[in-house]
Amino acid sequence: MKSVREIKEEFEAAEESRIPMLIEEYRDDGRSGVLRLIGQAEKKRNLLVKERQRLEAMRIYEHKYEDLGLICGIDEAGRGPLAGPVVAGAVILPRDCEILYLNDSKKLSAKRREELYEEIKEKAISFGIGMASPERIDEINILQATYEAMREAVRQLSPQPQVLLNDAVTIPEIPYRQVPIIGGDGKSLSIAAASVLAKVTRDRLMVEYDAQMPEYGFASHKGYGSAAHIEALKKYGPSPIHRKTFIGHFVD
C-alpha cells in the first residue's frame, strides 16, 4: 500500500485530466490523510469549473462577432494620473483561448497581473502596445492622446483584426468595425487581456522613473494623485514626466 506522502506526491505531479481518476482510485482508502487529499482535489476541481464558467461568460462578445474574423480587445491604462504616459494595449486572442484568472486588471493583484502578462503575450495571436507621452497629453488633451495610443497599438498588430472590442470608447480614424462596451474590461476576455498588457507596461515604466527620480515615489503610486505624491510635487516642483495640464491645482 502506498504511503500518504506517496499519494500526495502523485496528486501534485498529476496533470489536470488525471485528477478525477486518482480521486476514484483512492476514494475508498479510509486513511484520514488520503481523504483530506481527495477533499482538497475535489475542491480545486470545483473552483476550476466555476472559473471556466466565468471565463465563458466573458466570451459573450467574442462569440457574437467571431464569424466576422479576428477580434481585437483594446484598453488603456493611465488616463487619470498626474504624471507619466497613457498606455494602450491591443490583443488578438485565439478562439476559445484559455487564460485562467484573466480579468479586468484593476481586480487583479500586481503579482497576478505580472503572471498573466507573460501568458497573454505567449498565447496571443498578436498584441501591440501604444503610448502617448506627458508632453503629447498636454498638447492635444488626454482623450485625444488616448486615442492616439490606441491607434498605435492597433497598427502594431499582425495580422490586423476585423473587429475591435473597446472599453467604452469609439476610436476615431480606425478602419475597422468597433464595438464599444461599457465596463468592457470586466465583460470581455480580449479587453481584459489588453487592460493587463497596458497596466503592466505602464507600471513597469513608472518603476523605472522612480529609480531616476526617487523623491516623487512613482513606484508606489504610479503617478496617481495620492497625498504623498501631491506633497512631493509641492516640495520638489514638477518633474519632466508630470502633465502640466493636470497639476495646476497643486503648483504655480
Side-chain angles (χ1 to χ4, degrees):
M1 178 182 290
K2 293 180 180 178
S3 69
V4 174
R5 176 183 289 276
E6 288 173 325
I7 295 172
K8 179 181 180 182
E9 291 173 351
E10 196 172 356
F11 269 100
E12 290 175 345
E15 294 185 359
E16 185 184 336
S17 60
R18 178 159 163 71
I19 295 297
M21 290 180 280
L22 289 176
I23 290 173
E24 292 308 313
E25 181 179 347
Y26 295 112
R27 190 177 294 281
D28 294 331
D29 189 312
R31 288 174 291 178
S32 60
V34 176
L35 294 176
R36 185 166 55 252
L37 289 172
I38 290 172
Q40 292 170 348
E42 289 181 327
K43 181 179 179 180
K44 184 176 180 180
R45 281 182 66 207
N46 291 335
L47 289 173
L48 280 173
V49 167
K50 291 181 180 179
E51 173 59 12
R52 290 190 168 110
Q53 290 172 342
R54 184 190 68 83
L55 291 176
E56 183 59 26
M58 288 184 69
R59 292 190 183 98
I60 183 171
Y61 292 98
E62 283 79 358
H63 288 325
K64 183 175 181 178
Y65 296 101
E66 63 188 2
D67 291 341
L68 299 180
L70 293 176
I71 295 169
C72 169
I74 189 161
D75 199 11
E76 54 73 28
R79 283 181 67 171
L82 307 179
V86 61
V87 178
V91 182
I92 301 174
L93 295 175
R95 188 174 294 193
D96 296 325
C97 174
E98 179 175 273
I99 302 178
L100 293 172
Y101 311 111
L102 177 57
N103 207 339
D104 172 5
S105 63
K106 297 185 292 295
K107 298 179 180 178
L108 301 169
S109 67
K111 181 176 183 293
R112 178 76 77 186
R113 285 195 299 266
E114 288 283 346
E115 293 168 350
L116 290 172
Y117 176 88
E118 300 301 332
E119 187 173 357
I120 290 164
K121 291 201 302 180
E122 178 183 336
K123 292 184 174 179
I125 293 173
S126 184
F127 66 88
I129 300 290
M131 299 186 201
S133 68
E135 293 82 6
R136 189 61 173 160
I137 292 168
D138 289 335
E139 181 181 355
I140 62 174
N141 78 47
I142 184 60
L143 180 59
Q144 296 305 316
T146 300
Y147 289 153
E148 209 168 77
M150 288 178 165
R151 287 192 291 266
E152 173 58 28
V154 173
R155 277 194 293 270
Q156 293 175 17
L157 298 172
S158 180
Q160 287 280 291
Q162 282 70 52
V163 180
L164 290 184
L165 302 181
N166 307 339
D167 187 19
V169 301
T170 300
I171 309 163
E173 303 171 35
I174 287 280
Y176 309 114
R177 178 168 181 173
Q178 299 187 59
V179 181
I181 304 166
I182 296 173
D185 44 8
K187 297 177 182 177
S188 159
L189 283 182
S190 301
I191 299 176
S195 79
V196 170
L197 292 194
K199 174 67 173 167
V200 171
T201 299
R202 189 179 188 281
D203 283 358
R204 289 178 177 181
L205 279 173
M206 297 309 293
V207 170
E208 291 178 12
Y209 286 131
D210 183 76
Q212 299 167 21
M213 298 170 278
E215 64 270 23
Y216 293 99
F218 290 131
S220 61
H221 52 67
K222 306 303 189 290
Y224 284 87
S226 68
H229 184 190
I230 293 169
E231 183 180 347
L233 182 58
K234 290 178 178 179
K235 181 176 181 179
Y236 299 107
S239 74
I241 66 164
H242 276 99
R243 305 171 182 178
K244 295 180 176 61
T245 52
F246 279 51
I247 60 174
H249 295 297
F250 310 114
V251 296
D252 296 331

